[in-house]
Amino acid sequence: MTRVEARGRCAVITCMSPSQPGFLDFAYRVHALAASHHVTLISNIDLDIAEFRVAHVQHVQVPMPEGQWGWLRFLARCAALLRAGHFDRVMLLHSAVAPLAMACRAMHLPVVLYWNEHPTHLAPPCGWSQPLSKVIRGLVRRLMFAGARAADLVMPIGEAHHQDLLAHGVRAQCAQLVPMGVASAFRAEHSRGARRSDEPLQLIYIGTVAADRGRDVMFEAMAQVQAQSHLRGRAHLTIVGVQPDQMAECQGRVERLGLQGSVSLVGRVPGHDIPSLLQRAHVGLCLWEDRVWYRFNPPTKLFEYLVAGLPVLASNIRTHTAYVRDGVNGFIFDYSPHGLATAIARILSSDLDWQAINFSAWAAGEPYLWSTIQPRFLQAFSQAGR
């Protein structure tokens, strides 16, 4: 028996946005599985990047055309690879590939599903003025939940997802909450240096740069802060994750709003470079427009900020407020330029105990260290389907 055969063969299938800036929560799981399996990583985009380069991982790219029909074609091609691959186990590493659990069941393959996005994100609700779209999107959502019910185990990333899966018929014994996790490299000691009152407040945002994720809110809020003479020059925002095709537009906004000295734009950086960026910041920014799917998905960066000892400046949506306590380990604001500008002014105008806030953030992040979560993940994965 060869060494690869002794290790077992595991297919990991994922489906990601081409503009996605972060991969770490997926990479943690691939690395963990590769320690005990020969992994075939199947994705719609090229994942031969630093985060996924590890022994015993073979990369297979299956291009996915746009739209719902392209998604179905992608799933069909992945199912064909599963049938031909002689795998022992399957990890579906994204909600978008949930329907493949039904194919795995037909092949008698043990399958675990990582449930990280709500089906309404892939197929948003629409009105009666679009009857065909309404029917198709409804079928897509039903198909995803049917896949969740077919999986041997579903791993939702948050409590809201967990409760929603149970409400959609997933059996309680087949749903286990396993948070995303954060690498120990992000971990700050609780003695992290406090911000001095005479230095500019360093804000940082890491993630997808898009309108519904607060892109315009951030720019306009910073312009409002700079427009106040007593606050001008006292806050600086670094936005990390700007895609090449977005950079010109973002730079144009910075210039039009006169933010050249108060906003820095950085492209996508490898995951291992993020901790050093966080160490130079004072506050981490999380902001989402209140859309249905964002009410279920706690963002990866929220936990990375906390583990790094950064208080979180977060918009008022339950996927933030479930983890951030205003004035304790972060600050909550109403999602609008005025709301964010007011929150920044509040931080600058308050006599805050930064050491206490940093410590509270650090303590809140400790349960989300991947070193703590990984054993639970691997045990649940190995026992699923037995």
Side-chain angles (χ1 to χ4, degrees):
M1 181 179 291
T2 67
R3 186 165 180 240
V4 169
E5 290 171 339
R7 293 172 62 84
R9 292 177 55 81
C10 174
V12 177
I13 304 178
T14 189
C15 178
M16 302 183 188
S17 168
S19 61
Q20 184 169 326
F23 303 97
L24 288 181
D25 58 320
F26 302 97
Y28 300 151
R29 285 154 176 78
V30 172
H31 281 250
L33 293 173
S36 55
H37 296 78
H38 182 86
V39 172
T40 298
L41 176 60
I42 303 169
S43 176
N44 60 315
I45 63 175
D46 183 9
L47 290 181
D48 188 18
I49 57 178
E51 287 89 337
F52 292 98
R53 290 193 187 118
V54 60
H56 309 296
V57 174
Q58 175 189 4
H59 297 261
V60 177
Q61 184 179 357
V62 178
M64 185 174 72
E66 294 184 3
Q68 265 95 26
W69 296 117
W71 170 69
L72 290 173
R73 287 177 61 190
F74 170 75
L75 294 180
R77 291 188 63 187
C78 290
L81 289 173
L82 288 177
R83 281 192 293 272
H86 305 291
F87 296 104
D88 302 306
R89 290 187 159 265
V90 177
M91 179 82 216
L92 300 177
L93 201 56
H94 200 292
S95 305
V97 293
L100 286 171
M102 292 181 281
C104 292
R105 178 164 288 244
M107 297 178 222
H108 306 290
L109 273 173
V111 57
V112 175
L113 170 61
Y114 179 59
W115 191 261
N116 64 314
E117 286 195 5
H118 198 263
T120 52
H121 201 179
L122 182 64
C126 58
W128 289 105
S129 61
Q130 301 172 282
L132 182 59
S133 292
K134 186 177 181 66
V135 170
I136 292 174
R137 293 181 188 186
L139 290 173
V140 168
R141 295 192 295 270
R142 291 175 62 183
L143 193 59
M144 292 176 69
F145 280 119
R149 290 190 292 270
D152 293 295
L153 180 67
V154 187
M155 294 180 174
I157 62 174
E159 185 60 37
H161 272 313
H162 185 247
Q163 293 301 319
D164 185 62
L165 287 166
L166 298 181
H168 280 87
V170 175
R171 293 174 296 166
Q173 63 267 35
C174 295
Q176 181 176 337
L177 198 161
V178 181
M180 288 176 282
V182 179
S184 297
F186 284 82
R187 190 175 185 271
E189 296 300 329
H190 62 270
S191 58
R192 176 191 179 104
R195 171 182 173 263
R196 301 192 316 270
S197 59
D198 61 339
E199 64 179 321
L201 178 70
Q202 296 293 334
L203 301 155
I204 191 166
Y205 171 87
I206 296 178
T208 301
V209 180
D212 63 348
R213 294 177 182 240
R215 179 197 62 201
D216 302 336
V217 171
M218 289 189 287
F219 287 130
E220 293 171 22
M222 289 300 294
Q224 291 184 21
V225 170
Q226 295 305 310
Q228 302 178 58
S229 59
H230 68 292
L231 299 179
R232 189 175 301 126
R234 296 185 58 198
H236 184 276
L237 170 63
T238 300
I239 300 177
V240 182
V242 184
Q243 296 294 326
D245 60 344
Q246 302 167 331
M247 187 63 76
E249 180 183 356
C250 290
Q251 287 175 337
R253 290 173 184 270
V254 168
E255 292 172 5
R256 286 193 300 273
L257 294 170
L259 299 174
Q260 292 91 332
S262 55
V263 174
S264 298
L265 303 173
V266 180
R268 182 190 177 272
V269 299
H272 60 259
D273 289 341
I274 295 176
S276 61
L277 294 174
L278 297 184
Q279 287 301 310
R280 297 196 290 269
H282 299 125
V283 176
L285 192 54
C286 284
L287 67 170
W288 273 345
E289 187 176 341
D290 189 7
R291 296 191 175 184
V292 174
W293 48 91
Y294 290 147
R295 299 173 194 167
F296 292 90
N297 304 347
T300 310
K301 58 180 167 285
L302 186 151
F303 303 107
E304 292 174 345
Y305 295 156
L306 292 175
V307 167
L310 278 184
V312 182
L313 180 54
S315 58
N316 190 7
I317 188 171
R318 73 177 183 181
T319 38
H320 295 157
T321 56
Y323 307 95
V324 180
R325 295 171 58 198
D326 187 65
V328 178
N329 61 350
F331 312 92
I332 302 298
F333 66 93
D334 292 329
Y335 181 87
S336 69
H338 176 73
L340 178 54
T342 300
I344 294 172
R346 171 193 169 195
I347 295 172
L348 289 170
S349 304
S350 301
D351 185 16
L352 299 171
D353 185 344
W354 282 95
Q355 285 191 328
I357 292 175
N358 291 150
F359 178 80
S360 295
W362 174 82
E366 283 293 283
Y368 301 102
L369 283 169
W370 177 243
S371 58
T372 301
I373 295 168
Q374 178 177 304
R376 292 161 48 194
F377 165 76
L378 288 175
Q379 183 179 22
F381 179 82
S382 63
Q383 293 180 349
R386 288 186 177 176

